[in-house]
Amino acid sequence: MTSRVLHTEEAPGGKGKAVISLVDEHFEIDYYDDSGRHFFNEEFHNHTFRYVEDAAENWAVGIKKLEDTA
């Protein structure tokens, strides 16, 4: 498995970040809370980078909601 970080979307006020990576042939977003704790991973198969980037941005500004699975 090869993985390469492509972009990091920071939430305003240091309230976390979403890290977009290219993993083999698909994109993934790893979500981190304000203390740097990883709490969610989301895979995107058959989507463009722009689509994934929009998803990360929507989470960062509070439009997209995720359930804390930890």
Side-chain angles (χ1 to χ4, degrees):
M1 176 171 72
T2 60
S3 177
R4 181 170 51 117
V5 173
L6 302 176
H7 179 71
T8 300
E9 188 71 40
E10 300 279 343
K15 295 185 179 185
K17 65 183 177 180
V19 179
I20 302 171
S21 299
L22 179 61
V23 180
D24 294 328
E25 300 289 322
H26 68 277
F27 296 106
E28 293 188 7
I29 303 177
D30 287 300
Y31 297 92
Y32 298 85
D33 65 15
D34 58 351
S35 66
R37 182 181 62 93
H38 180 267
F39 71 91
F40 197 78
N41 173 271
E42 190 172 19
E43 294 184 8
F44 294 84
H45 297 270
N46 302 313
H47 288 286
T48 65
F49 174 72
R50 183 67 207 157
Y51 180 93
V52 178
E53 192 175 40
D54 285 345
E57 182 180 351
N58 286 342
W59 172 80
V61 298
I63 295 170
K64 178 183 175 93
K65 303 297 182 193
L66 299 173
E67 191 172 313
D68 188 337
T69 59

